[in-house]
Short mmCIF file of all heavy atoms in Angstrom, two decimals:
data_model
loop_
_atom_site.label_atom_id
_atom_site.label_comp_id
_atom_site.label_asym_id
_atom_site.label_seq_id
_atom_site.Cartn_x
_atom_site.Cartn_y
_atom_site.Cartn_z
N LEU L 28 -39.76 -15.36 30.62
CA LEU L 28 -39.71 -15.34 32.07
C LEU L 28 -40.02 -16.73 32.60
O LEU L 28 -40.96 -17.38 32.16
CB LEU L 28 -40.73 -14.36 32.62
CG LEU L 28 -40.53 -12.89 32.28
CD1 LEU L 28 -41.72 -12.09 32.77
CD2 LEU L 28 -39.26 -12.36 32.84
N ASN L 29 -39.26 -17.14 33.56
CA ASN L 29 -39.49 -18.46 34.13
C ASN L 29 -40.14 -18.40 35.51
O ASN L 29 -40.34 -19.42 36.14
CB ASN L 29 -38.18 -19.25 34.19
CG ASN L 29 -37.15 -18.61 35.09
OD1 ASN L 29 -37.44 -17.67 35.81
ND2 ASN L 29 -35.93 -19.11 35.06
N GLY L 30 -40.44 -17.21 36.00
CA GLY L 30 -41.11 -17.07 37.29
C GLY L 30 -40.17 -16.90 38.46
O GLY L 30 -40.57 -16.44 39.51
N GLU L 31 -38.92 -17.27 38.28
CA GLU L 31 -37.98 -17.12 39.38
C GLU L 31 -37.56 -15.65 39.50
O GLU L 31 -37.16 -15.03 38.53
CB GLU L 31 -36.76 -17.99 39.14
CG GLU L 31 -37.07 -19.46 39.22
CD GLU L 31 -35.85 -20.33 39.00
OE1 GLU L 31 -34.74 -19.91 39.36
OE2 GLU L 31 -36.03 -21.43 38.45
N GLY L 32 -37.66 -15.12 40.69
CA GLY L 32 -37.26 -13.74 40.93
C GLY L 32 -38.33 -12.72 40.61
O GLY L 32 -38.09 -11.52 40.71
N TYR L 33 -39.51 -13.19 40.20
CA TYR L 33 -40.61 -12.29 39.87
C TYR L 33 -41.85 -12.69 40.65
O TYR L 33 -42.01 -13.84 41.03
CB TYR L 33 -40.92 -12.34 38.37
CG TYR L 33 -39.75 -11.92 37.52
CD1 TYR L 33 -38.89 -12.88 37.00
CD2 TYR L 33 -39.51 -10.58 37.27
CE1 TYR L 33 -37.80 -12.50 36.24
CE2 TYR L 33 -38.42 -10.20 36.51
CZ TYR L 33 -37.57 -11.16 35.99
OH TYR L 33 -36.48 -10.79 35.25
N GLU L 34 -42.73 -11.71 40.84
CA GLU L 34 -43.99 -12.00 41.51
C GLU L 34 -45.02 -10.95 41.12
O GLU L 34 -44.67 -9.90 40.56
CB GLU L 34 -43.82 -12.04 43.03
CG GLU L 34 -43.37 -10.74 43.65
CD GLU L 34 -43.02 -10.90 45.13
OE1 GLU L 34 -42.84 -12.04 45.60
OE2 GLU L 34 -42.92 -9.87 45.81
N ILE L 35 -46.26 -11.23 41.42
CA ILE L 35 -47.34 -10.28 41.18
C ILE L 35 -47.33 -9.26 42.32
O ILE L 35 -47.30 -9.62 43.49
CB ILE L 35 -48.71 -10.99 41.13
CG1 ILE L 35 -48.73 -12.05 40.03
CG2 ILE L 35 -49.83 -9.98 40.96
CD1 ILE L 35 -48.54 -11.52 38.64
N GLU L 36 -47.35 -8.00 41.91
CA GLU L 36 -47.35 -6.90 42.89
C GLU L 36 -48.65 -6.13 42.77
O GLU L 36 -49.17 -5.93 41.67
CB GLU L 36 -46.18 -5.96 42.59
CG GLU L 36 -46.22 -4.68 43.39
CD GLU L 36 -45.14 -3.69 42.99
OE1 GLU L 36 -44.39 -3.94 42.06
OE2 GLU L 36 -45.09 -2.64 43.65
N HIS L 37 -49.18 -5.69 43.88
CA HIS L 37 -50.35 -4.82 43.88
C HIS L 37 -49.86 -3.38 43.74
O HIS L 37 -49.03 -2.92 44.52
CB HIS L 37 -51.17 -5.00 45.15
CG HIS L 37 -51.86 -6.31 45.19
ND1 HIS L 37 -51.25 -7.46 45.64
CD2 HIS L 37 -53.11 -6.66 44.78
CE1 HIS L 37 -52.10 -8.46 45.52
NE2 HIS L 37 -53.24 -8.00 45.00
N ILE L 38 -50.36 -2.67 42.73
CA ILE L 38 -49.95 -1.29 42.48
C ILE L 38 -50.28 -0.43 43.70
O ILE L 38 -49.44 0.30 44.21
CB ILE L 38 -50.65 -0.75 41.21
CG1 ILE L 38 -50.23 -1.58 40.00
CG2 ILE L 38 -50.32 0.73 41.01
CD1 ILE L 38 -51.08 -1.36 38.77
N ILE L 39 -51.52 -0.51 44.14
CA ILE L 39 -51.92 0.11 45.40
C ILE L 39 -52.09 -1.04 46.38
O ILE L 39 -52.89 -1.94 46.15
CB ILE L 39 -53.22 0.92 45.27
CG1 ILE L 39 -53.04 2.01 44.21
CG2 ILE L 39 -53.60 1.53 46.63
CD1 ILE L 39 -54.29 2.78 43.90
N PRO L 40 -51.30 -1.05 47.45
CA PRO L 40 -51.32 -2.19 48.37
C PRO L 40 -52.73 -2.58 48.81
O PRO L 40 -53.58 -1.72 49.07
CB PRO L 40 -50.49 -1.70 49.56
CG PRO L 40 -49.57 -0.69 48.96
CD PRO L 40 -50.38 0.00 47.90
N ARG L 41 -52.95 -3.88 48.86
CA ARG L 41 -54.27 -4.40 49.23
C ARG L 41 -54.73 -3.93 50.60
O ARG L 41 -55.92 -3.73 50.82
CB ARG L 41 -54.26 -5.93 49.21
CG ARG L 41 -54.29 -6.47 47.81
CD ARG L 41 -54.29 -7.96 47.80
NE ARG L 41 -55.51 -8.48 48.42
CZ ARG L 41 -55.69 -9.74 48.74
NH1 ARG L 41 -54.75 -10.63 48.51
NH2 ARG L 41 -56.80 -10.14 49.30
N ASP L 42 -53.79 -3.74 51.53
CA ASP L 42 -54.23 -3.31 52.86
C ASP L 42 -54.69 -1.85 52.87
O ASP L 42 -55.28 -1.39 53.84
CB ASP L 42 -53.15 -3.55 53.92
CG ASP L 42 -51.86 -2.79 53.68
OD1 ASP L 42 -51.69 -2.20 52.61
OD2 ASP L 42 -51.01 -2.80 54.59
N MET L 43 -54.47 -1.13 51.76
CA MET L 43 -54.96 0.25 51.65
C MET L 43 -56.37 0.30 51.07
O MET L 43 -57.19 1.10 51.50
CB MET L 43 -54.05 1.10 50.78
CG MET L 43 -52.73 1.44 51.40
SD MET L 43 -51.83 2.52 50.28
CE MET L 43 -50.52 3.05 51.38
N ILE L 44 -56.64 -0.55 50.05
CA ILE L 44 -57.92 -0.45 49.36
C ILE L 44 -58.61 -1.80 49.12
O ILE L 44 -59.68 -1.85 48.54
CB ILE L 44 -57.80 0.29 48.01
CG1 ILE L 44 -56.87 -0.45 47.06
CG2 ILE L 44 -57.38 1.72 48.21
CD1 ILE L 44 -56.89 0.09 45.64
N CYS L 45 -58.00 -2.89 49.54
CA CYS L 45 -58.58 -4.24 49.40
C CYS L 45 -58.92 -4.58 47.95
O CYS L 45 -59.87 -5.31 47.69
CB CYS L 45 -59.83 -4.39 50.26
SG CYS L 45 -59.49 -4.20 52.01
N ASP L 46 -58.15 -4.06 46.99
CA ASP L 46 -58.40 -4.32 45.57
C ASP L 46 -57.46 -5.42 45.08
O ASP L 46 -56.27 -5.21 44.97
CB ASP L 46 -58.19 -3.04 44.76
CG ASP L 46 -58.48 -3.23 43.28
OD1 ASP L 46 -58.80 -4.36 42.85
OD2 ASP L 46 -58.37 -2.23 42.54
N ASN L 47 -58.03 -6.57 44.79
CA ASN L 47 -57.25 -7.69 44.29
C ASN L 47 -57.54 -7.93 42.80
O ASN L 47 -57.26 -8.99 42.26
CB ASN L 47 -57.55 -8.95 45.10
CG ASN L 47 -56.49 -10.01 44.90
OD1 ASN L 47 -55.32 -9.71 44.68
ND2 ASN L 47 -56.89 -11.26 44.95
N SER L 48 -58.10 -6.91 42.13
CA SER L 48 -58.46 -7.05 40.72
C SER L 48 -57.21 -7.02 39.83
O SER L 48 -56.14 -6.55 40.23
CB SER L 48 -59.42 -5.94 40.30
OG SER L 48 -58.75 -4.69 40.27
N GLN L 49 -57.39 -7.50 38.61
CA GLN L 49 -56.30 -7.53 37.63
C GLN L 49 -55.75 -6.13 37.35
O GLN L 49 -54.56 -5.96 37.11
CB GLN L 49 -56.79 -8.18 36.33
CG GLN L 49 -55.71 -8.46 35.35
CD GLN L 49 -54.74 -9.54 35.83
OE1 GLN L 49 -55.07 -10.37 36.66
NE2 GLN L 49 -53.54 -9.51 35.31
N SER L 50 -56.61 -5.11 37.39
CA SER L 50 -56.18 -3.74 37.09
C SER L 50 -55.28 -3.16 38.18
O SER L 50 -54.68 -2.10 37.98
CB SER L 50 -57.38 -2.84 36.86
OG SER L 50 -58.16 -2.73 38.03
N ASN L 51 -55.16 -3.83 39.32
CA ASN L 51 -54.30 -3.36 40.40
C ASN L 51 -53.05 -4.24 40.55
O ASN L 51 -52.40 -4.23 41.58
CB ASN L 51 -55.07 -3.32 41.73
CG ASN L 51 -54.30 -2.63 42.83
OD1 ASN L 51 -53.60 -1.65 42.60
ND2 ASN L 51 -54.38 -3.14 44.04
N LYS L 52 -52.72 -4.99 39.50
CA LYS L 52 -51.58 -5.91 39.59
C LYS L 52 -50.61 -5.69 38.44
O LYS L 52 -51.02 -5.39 37.32
CB LYS L 52 -52.06 -7.36 39.56
CG LYS L 52 -52.91 -7.74 40.74
CD LYS L 52 -53.40 -9.16 40.58
CE LYS L 52 -54.32 -9.55 41.71
NZ LYS L 52 -54.87 -10.89 41.50
N VAL L 53 -49.34 -5.85 38.74
CA VAL L 53 -48.28 -5.83 37.73
C VAL L 53 -47.24 -6.89 38.09
O VAL L 53 -47.19 -7.36 39.22
CB VAL L 53 -47.57 -4.44 37.64
CG1 VAL L 53 -48.53 -3.38 37.13
CG2 VAL L 53 -46.99 -4.03 38.97
N LEU L 54 -46.42 -7.24 37.12
CA LEU L 54 -45.31 -8.15 37.37
C LEU L 54 -44.16 -7.34 37.94
O LEU L 54 -43.84 -6.26 37.44
CB LEU L 54 -44.89 -8.83 36.07
CG LEU L 54 -43.84 -9.92 36.19
CD1 LEU L 54 -44.36 -11.08 37.05
CD2 LEU L 54 -43.46 -10.42 34.81
N SER L 55 -43.54 -7.84 38.98
CA SER L 55 -42.49 -7.09 39.66
C SER L 55 -41.32 -7.99 40.02
O SER L 55 -41.49 -9.19 40.25
CB SER L 55 -43.07 -6.48 40.94
OG SER L 55 -42.09 -5.82 41.70
N CYS L 56 -40.17 -7.38 40.08
CA CYS L 56 -38.98 -8.04 40.62
C CYS L 56 -39.27 -8.34 42.11
O CYS L 56 -39.73 -7.47 42.84
CB CYS L 56 -37.81 -7.08 40.46
SG CYS L 56 -36.44 -7.33 41.57
N ARG L 57 -39.05 -9.57 42.52
CA ARG L 57 -39.38 -9.98 43.89
C ARG L 57 -38.66 -9.12 44.94
O ARG L 57 -39.27 -8.66 45.90
CB ARG L 57 -39.04 -11.45 44.10
CG ARG L 57 -39.40 -11.95 45.49
CD ARG L 57 -39.29 -13.46 45.60
NE ARG L 57 -40.44 -14.04 44.91
CZ ARG L 57 -40.36 -15.02 44.03
NH1 ARG L 57 -39.21 -15.55 43.72
NH2 ARG L 57 -41.45 -15.51 43.47
N SER L 58 -37.37 -8.86 44.74
CA SER L 58 -36.63 -8.08 45.74
C SER L 58 -37.09 -6.62 45.75
O SER L 58 -37.14 -6.00 46.81
CB SER L 58 -35.13 -8.18 45.51
OG SER L 58 -34.75 -7.60 44.29
N CYS L 59 -37.46 -6.08 44.58
CA CYS L 59 -37.97 -4.71 44.52
C CYS L 59 -39.30 -4.60 45.26
O CYS L 59 -39.52 -3.66 46.02
CB CYS L 59 -38.15 -4.26 43.07
SG CYS L 59 -36.64 -4.22 42.12
N ASN L 60 -40.17 -5.56 45.02
CA ASN L 60 -41.47 -5.56 45.69
C ASN L 60 -41.31 -5.69 47.20
O ASN L 60 -42.03 -5.07 47.97
CB ASN L 60 -42.35 -6.67 45.13
CG ASN L 60 -43.79 -6.54 45.55
OD1 ASN L 60 -44.28 -5.46 45.81
ND2 ASN L 60 -44.47 -7.67 45.60
N SER L 61 -40.35 -6.49 47.61
CA SER L 61 -40.08 -6.65 49.03
C SER L 61 -39.62 -5.33 49.66
O SER L 61 -40.06 -4.97 50.75
CB SER L 61 -39.03 -7.73 49.24
OG SER L 61 -38.73 -7.89 50.59
N LYS L 62 -38.77 -4.60 48.95
CA LYS L 62 -38.30 -3.30 49.46
C LYS L 62 -39.44 -2.30 49.53
O LYS L 62 -39.53 -1.50 50.46
CB LYS L 62 -37.20 -2.75 48.57
CG LYS L 62 -35.90 -3.49 48.65
CD LYS L 62 -34.89 -2.92 47.67
CE LYS L 62 -33.69 -3.82 47.54
NZ LYS L 62 -32.78 -3.37 46.46
N LYS L 63 -40.31 -2.32 48.53
CA LYS L 63 -41.44 -1.40 48.47
C LYS L 63 -42.43 -1.68 49.59
O LYS L 63 -43.07 -0.77 50.09
CB LYS L 63 -42.11 -1.50 47.10
CG LYS L 63 -43.25 -0.54 46.90
CD LYS L 63 -43.80 -0.71 45.49
CE LYS L 63 -45.27 -0.51 45.41
NZ LYS L 63 -46.16 -1.47 45.97
N SER L 64 -42.55 -2.94 49.96
CA SER L 64 -43.42 -3.36 51.06
C SER L 64 -44.86 -2.96 50.80
O SER L 64 -45.38 -3.19 49.73
CB SER L 64 -42.89 -2.82 52.39
OG SER L 64 -43.63 -3.32 53.46
N ASN L 65 -45.51 -2.33 51.76
CA ASN L 65 -46.92 -1.98 51.60
C ASN L 65 -47.13 -0.50 51.27
O ASN L 65 -48.14 0.09 51.59
CB ASN L 65 -47.71 -2.35 52.87
CG ASN L 65 -47.31 -1.52 54.07
OD1 ASN L 65 -46.23 -0.92 54.08
ND2 ASN L 65 -48.15 -1.48 55.08
N LYS L 66 -46.14 0.09 50.58
CA LYS L 66 -46.24 1.49 50.17
C LYS L 66 -46.68 1.56 48.70
O LYS L 66 -46.49 0.62 47.94
CB LYS L 66 -44.89 2.18 50.29
CG LYS L 66 -44.36 2.25 51.70
CD LYS L 66 -42.97 2.86 51.70
CE LYS L 66 -42.43 2.85 53.12
NZ LYS L 66 -41.00 2.88 53.15
N THR L 67 -47.24 2.70 48.32
CA THR L 67 -47.46 2.94 46.90
C THR L 67 -46.09 3.24 46.28
O THR L 67 -45.12 3.52 47.00
CB THR L 67 -48.37 4.17 46.67
OG1 THR L 67 -47.72 5.32 47.17
CG2 THR L 67 -49.74 3.97 47.33
N ALA L 68 -46.02 3.18 44.96
CA ALA L 68 -44.75 3.49 44.29
C ALA L 68 -44.30 4.91 44.64
O ALA L 68 -43.12 5.15 44.91
CB ALA L 68 -44.88 3.34 42.78
N PHE L 69 -45.24 5.85 44.65
CA PHE L 69 -44.90 7.24 44.98
C PHE L 69 -44.32 7.34 46.38
O PHE L 69 -43.27 7.96 46.59
CB PHE L 69 -46.14 8.13 44.85
CG PHE L 69 -45.86 9.58 45.15
CD1 PHE L 69 -45.41 10.42 44.16
CD2 PHE L 69 -46.06 10.09 46.43
CE1 PHE L 69 -45.13 11.75 44.44
CE2 PHE L 69 -45.79 11.41 46.72
CZ PHE L 69 -45.32 12.25 45.72
N ASP L 70 -44.97 6.73 47.36
CA ASP L 70 -44.47 6.81 48.74
C ASP L 70 -43.12 6.11 48.89
O ASP L 70 -42.25 6.60 49.61
CB ASP L 70 -45.48 6.20 49.71
CG ASP L 70 -46.71 7.07 49.85
OD1 ASP L 70 -46.63 8.29 49.62
OD2 ASP L 70 -47.78 6.52 50.21
N PHE L 71 -42.96 4.98 48.19
CA PHE L 71 -41.66 4.30 48.25
C PHE L 71 -40.57 5.18 47.65
O PHE L 71 -39.51 5.35 48.25
CB PHE L 71 -41.72 2.96 47.52
CG PHE L 71 -40.36 2.32 47.40
CD1 PHE L 71 -39.74 1.78 48.51
CD2 PHE L 71 -39.69 2.30 46.18
CE1 PHE L 71 -38.48 1.20 48.40
CE2 PHE L 71 -38.44 1.73 46.07
CZ PHE L 71 -37.82 1.17 47.19
N MET L 72 -40.81 5.73 46.48
CA MET L 72 -39.78 6.54 45.82
C MET L 72 -39.50 7.81 46.63
O MET L 72 -38.37 8.28 46.68
CB MET L 72 -40.19 6.89 44.39
CG MET L 72 -40.20 5.69 43.47
SD MET L 72 -38.65 4.74 43.45
CE MET L 72 -37.53 5.93 42.74
N ARG L 73 -40.52 8.36 47.26
CA ARG L 73 -40.31 9.55 48.09
C ARG L 73 -39.41 9.24 49.28
O ARG L 73 -38.71 10.11 49.78
CB ARG L 73 -41.66 10.08 48.56
CG ARG L 73 -41.58 11.41 49.25
CD ARG L 73 -42.90 12.03 49.52
NE ARG L 73 -43.82 11.07 50.14
CZ ARG L 73 -45.08 11.33 50.42
NH1 ARG L 73 -45.60 12.50 50.12
NH2 ARG L 73 -45.84 10.43 50.99
N SER L 74 -39.37 7.99 49.71
CA SER L 74 -38.51 7.60 50.84
C SER L 74 -37.05 7.36 50.41
O SER L 74 -36.20 7.16 51.26
CB SER L 74 -39.07 6.35 51.53
OG SER L 74 -38.88 5.20 50.72
N GLN L 75 -36.80 7.38 49.10
CA GLN L 75 -35.44 7.20 48.58
C GLN L 75 -34.73 8.55 48.54
O GLN L 75 -35.30 9.58 48.89
CB GLN L 75 -35.49 6.57 47.18
CG GLN L 75 -36.25 5.26 47.13
CD GLN L 75 -35.68 4.22 48.08
OE1 GLN L 75 -34.52 3.85 47.99
NE2 GLN L 75 -36.49 3.75 49.01
N ASP L 76 -33.49 8.57 48.04
CA ASP L 76 -32.78 9.85 47.99
C ASP L 76 -33.42 10.77 46.95
O ASP L 76 -34.16 10.34 46.07
CB ASP L 76 -31.29 9.66 47.74
CG ASP L 76 -30.96 9.10 46.38
OD1 ASP L 76 -31.40 9.67 45.36
OD2 ASP L 76 -30.24 8.09 46.32
N LYS L 77 -33.15 12.06 47.07
CA LYS L 77 -33.79 13.09 46.24
C LYS L 77 -33.57 12.86 44.76
O LYS L 77 -34.50 13.02 43.96
CB LYS L 77 -33.30 14.48 46.65
CG LYS L 77 -33.97 15.59 45.87
CD LYS L 77 -33.61 16.95 46.41
CE LYS L 77 -34.15 18.11 45.62
NZ LYS L 77 -35.11 17.90 44.59
N ALA L 78 -32.37 12.47 44.36
CA ALA L 78 -32.08 12.25 42.93
C ALA L 78 -32.95 11.12 42.37
O ALA L 78 -33.49 11.24 41.26
CB ALA L 78 -30.60 11.94 42.73
N MET L 79 -33.11 10.04 43.11
CA MET L 79 -33.95 8.94 42.66
C MET L 79 -35.41 9.36 42.56
O MET L 79 -36.10 9.03 41.60
CB MET L 79 -33.83 7.73 43.60
CG MET L 79 -32.56 6.95 43.44
SD MET L 79 -32.50 5.50 44.52
CE MET L 79 -33.74 4.46 43.75
N PHE L 80 -35.87 10.12 43.55
CA PHE L 80 -37.25 10.59 43.54
C PHE L 80 -37.48 11.53 42.37
O PHE L 80 -38.49 11.41 41.65
CB PHE L 80 -37.61 11.27 44.86
CG PHE L 80 -39.02 11.77 44.91
CD1 PHE L 80 -40.07 10.88 44.93
CD2 PHE L 80 -39.28 13.12 44.93
CE1 PHE L 80 -41.39 11.33 44.97
CE2 PHE L 80 -40.59 13.58 44.97
CZ PHE L 80 -41.64 12.70 44.99
N ASP L 81 -36.57 12.46 42.15
CA ASP L 81 -36.70 13.40 41.03
C ASP L 81 -36.72 12.68 39.69
O ASP L 81 -37.51 13.02 38.80
CB ASP L 81 -35.58 14.44 41.06
CG ASP L 81 -35.71 15.42 42.23
OD1 ASP L 81 -36.78 15.48 42.86
OD2 ASP L 81 -34.71 16.11 42.51
N ASP L 82 -35.88 11.66 39.54
CA ASP L 82 -35.86 10.87 38.31
C ASP L 82 -37.20 10.13 38.13
O ASP L 82 -37.73 10.07 37.02
CB ASP L 82 -34.70 9.89 38.34
CG ASP L 82 -34.57 9.11 37.06
OD1 ASP L 82 -34.48 9.75 35.98
OD2 ASP L 82 -34.54 7.87 37.12
N TYR L 83 -37.73 9.62 39.20
CA TYR L 83 -39.03 8.94 39.16
C TYR L 83 -40.12 9.90 38.69
O TYR L 83 -40.92 9.57 37.82
CB TYR L 83 -39.34 8.38 40.56
CG TYR L 83 -40.77 7.93 40.74
CD1 TYR L 83 -41.22 6.73 40.18
CD2 TYR L 83 -41.67 8.69 41.47
CE1 TYR L 83 -42.53 6.31 40.36
CE2 TYR L 83 -42.98 8.28 41.65
CZ TYR L 83 -43.40 7.10 41.09
OH TYR L 83 -44.69 6.68 41.27
N ILE L 84 -40.15 11.10 39.24
CA ILE L 84 -41.15 12.10 38.87
C ILE L 84 -41.03 12.44 37.39
O ILE L 84 -42.04 12.54 36.68
CB ILE L 84 -41.03 13.36 39.74
CG1 ILE L 84 -41.41 13.05 41.19
CG2 ILE L 84 -41.87 14.51 39.20
CD1 ILE L 84 -42.83 12.58 41.40
N LYS L 85 -39.82 12.57 36.89
CA LYS L 85 -39.63 12.85 35.46
C LYS L 85 -40.17 11.73 34.59
O LYS L 85 -40.81 11.98 33.56
CB LYS L 85 -38.14 13.08 35.16
CG LYS L 85 -37.62 14.40 35.66
CD LYS L 85 -36.13 14.54 35.38
CE LYS L 85 -35.59 15.78 36.05
NZ LYS L 85 -34.14 15.87 35.96
N ARG L 86 -39.93 10.48 34.99
CA ARG L 86 -40.45 9.33 34.23
C ARG L 86 -41.98 9.31 34.24
O ARG L 86 -42.61 9.06 33.21
CB ARG L 86 -39.90 8.02 34.76
CG ARG L 86 -38.43 7.82 34.47
CD ARG L 86 -37.98 6.39 34.74
NE ARG L 86 -38.43 5.79 35.97
CZ ARG L 86 -37.79 5.85 37.13
NH1 ARG L 86 -36.63 6.48 37.23
NH2 ARG L 86 -38.28 5.26 38.20
N VAL L 87 -42.57 9.61 35.39
CA VAL L 87 -44.04 9.63 35.48
C VAL L 87 -44.60 10.75 34.61
O VAL L 87 -45.56 10.54 33.87
CB VAL L 87 -44.49 9.78 36.95
CG1 VAL L 87 -45.98 10.08 37.04
CG2 VAL L 87 -44.14 8.54 37.76
N GLU L 88 -43.99 11.92 34.68
CA GLU L 88 -44.47 13.04 33.87
C GLU L 88 -44.34 12.74 32.38
O GLU L 88 -45.23 13.08 31.59
CB GLU L 88 -43.72 14.32 34.24
CG GLU L 88 -44.12 14.85 35.60
CD GLU L 88 -43.27 16.02 36.07
OE1 GLU L 88 -42.17 16.26 35.49
OE2 GLU L 88 -43.69 16.69 37.03
N LYS L 89 -43.26 12.09 31.98
CA LYS L 89 -43.07 11.72 30.58
C LYS L 89 -44.16 10.73 30.16
O LYS L 89 -44.74 10.86 29.08
CB LYS L 89 -41.68 11.13 30.38
CG LYS L 89 -41.37 10.79 28.96
CD LYS L 89 -39.94 10.27 28.84
CE LYS L 89 -39.63 9.88 27.41
NZ LYS L 89 -38.26 9.39 27.27
N TRP L 90 -44.43 9.74 30.99
CA TRP L 90 -45.47 8.75 30.69
C TRP L 90 -46.83 9.43 30.58
O TRP L 90 -47.60 9.15 29.66
CB TRP L 90 -45.48 7.68 31.78
CG TRP L 90 -46.47 6.60 31.52
CD1 TRP L 90 -46.26 5.46 30.79
CD2 TRP L 90 -47.83 6.55 31.96
NE1 TRP L 90 -47.40 4.71 30.77
CE2 TRP L 90 -48.39 5.35 31.47
CE3 TRP L 90 -48.62 7.39 32.73
CZ2 TRP L 90 -49.70 4.99 31.73
CZ3 TRP L 90 -49.93 7.02 32.98
CH2 TRP L 90 -50.45 5.84 32.48
N LEU L 91 -47.12 10.33 31.51
CA LEU L 91 -48.42 11.03 31.48
C LEU L 91 -48.57 11.88 30.22
O LEU L 91 -49.66 11.95 29.65
CB LEU L 91 -48.59 11.89 32.73
CG LEU L 91 -48.82 11.14 34.03
CD1 LEU L 91 -48.81 12.12 35.21
CD2 LEU L 91 -50.14 10.38 33.99
N ALA L 92 -47.48 12.49 29.78
CA ALA L 92 -47.54 13.32 28.58
C ALA L 92 -47.89 12.50 27.36
O ALA L 92 -48.55 12.99 26.43
CB ALA L 92 -46.20 14.03 28.37
N VAL L 93 -47.50 11.25 27.34
CA VAL L 93 -47.79 10.36 26.20
C VAL L 93 -49.21 9.80 26.29
O VAL L 93 -49.94 9.76 25.30
CB VAL L 93 -46.76 9.21 26.13
CG1 VAL L 93 -47.17 8.18 25.11
CG2 VAL L 93 -45.37 9.77 25.83
N TRP L 94 -49.60 9.35 27.47
CA TRP L 94 -50.86 8.62 27.61
C TRP L 94 -52.05 9.44 28.03
O TRP L 94 -53.18 9.00 27.90
CB TRP L 94 -50.65 7.46 28.59
CG TRP L 94 -49.72 6.46 28.02
CD1 TRP L 94 -48.41 6.27 28.34
CD2 TRP L 94 -49.99 5.51 26.98
NE1 TRP L 94 -47.85 5.28 27.59
CE2 TRP L 94 -48.81 4.79 26.74
CE3 TRP L 94 -51.12 5.21 26.23
CZ2 TRP L 94 -48.73 3.79 25.78
CZ3 TRP L 94 -51.04 4.21 25.29
CH2 TRP L 94 -49.85 3.50 25.07
N TRP L 95 -51.85 10.62 28.56
CA TRP L 95 -52.97 11.45 29.01
C TRP L 95 -53.07 12.68 28.14
O TRP L 95 -53.01 13.80 28.59
CB TRP L 95 -52.79 11.86 30.47
CG TRP L 95 -53.03 10.73 31.40
CD1 TRP L 95 -52.32 9.57 31.48
CD2 TRP L 95 -54.05 10.61 32.37
NE1 TRP L 95 -52.83 8.75 32.43
CE2 TRP L 95 -53.89 9.37 33.01
CE3 TRP L 95 -55.08 11.43 32.77
CZ2 TRP L 95 -54.74 8.94 34.02
CZ3 TRP L 95 -55.91 11.02 33.79
CH2 TRP L 95 -55.73 9.77 34.39
N VAL L 96 -53.27 12.45 26.86
CA VAL L 96 -53.34 13.55 25.90
C VAL L 96 -54.71 14.16 25.91
O VAL L 96 -55.71 13.57 26.03
CB VAL L 96 -53.01 13.03 24.47
CG1 VAL L 96 -53.06 14.15 23.47
CG2 VAL L 96 -51.68 12.35 24.48
#
């Protein structure tokens, strides 16, 4: 990665919880983060069409099944 087109994103927006810690940050596509704005991933995906939201929920459930044993 050369840094172009990417930026640090707050998982839970800072204006919601004022958390600027490393555990609240991920690397994100700059344009994706811009679209998400100050929403959580869940709230952003819920604002998309139903098929996209349903696909997102399936991915989250699959991830939880692996990591929350």
Side-chain angles (χ1 to χ4, degrees):
L28 296 173
N29 63 9
E31 293 181 31
Y33 300 95
E34 62 188 16
I35 301 297
E36 171 186 3
H37 289 85
I38 299 166
I39 301 174
R41 285 181 63 192
D42 62 350
M43 288 183 168
I44 61 170
C45 298
D46 182 358
N47 197 31
S48 70
Q49 189 67 24
S50 64
N51 189 38
K52 296 177 183 176
V53 294
L54 186 62
S55 176
C56 157
R57 182 170 285 132
S58 65
C59 298
N60 192 28
S61 179
K62 290 176 191 173
K63 183 178 146 289
S64 186
N65 67 341
K66 297 176 183 156
T67 64
F69 181 86
D70 289 335
F71 172 72
M72 291 307 295
R73 188 171 49 184
S74 72
Q75 304 303 301
D76 67 54
K77 183 172 175 10
M79 284 182 71
F80 180 68
D81 290 346
D82 184 55
Y83 167 76
I84 293 298
K85 287 177 187 173
R86 289 192 315 270
V87 169
E88 288 173 345
K89 183 177 178 179
W90 183 88
L91 288 173
V93 171
W94 294 103
W95 287 63
V96 181

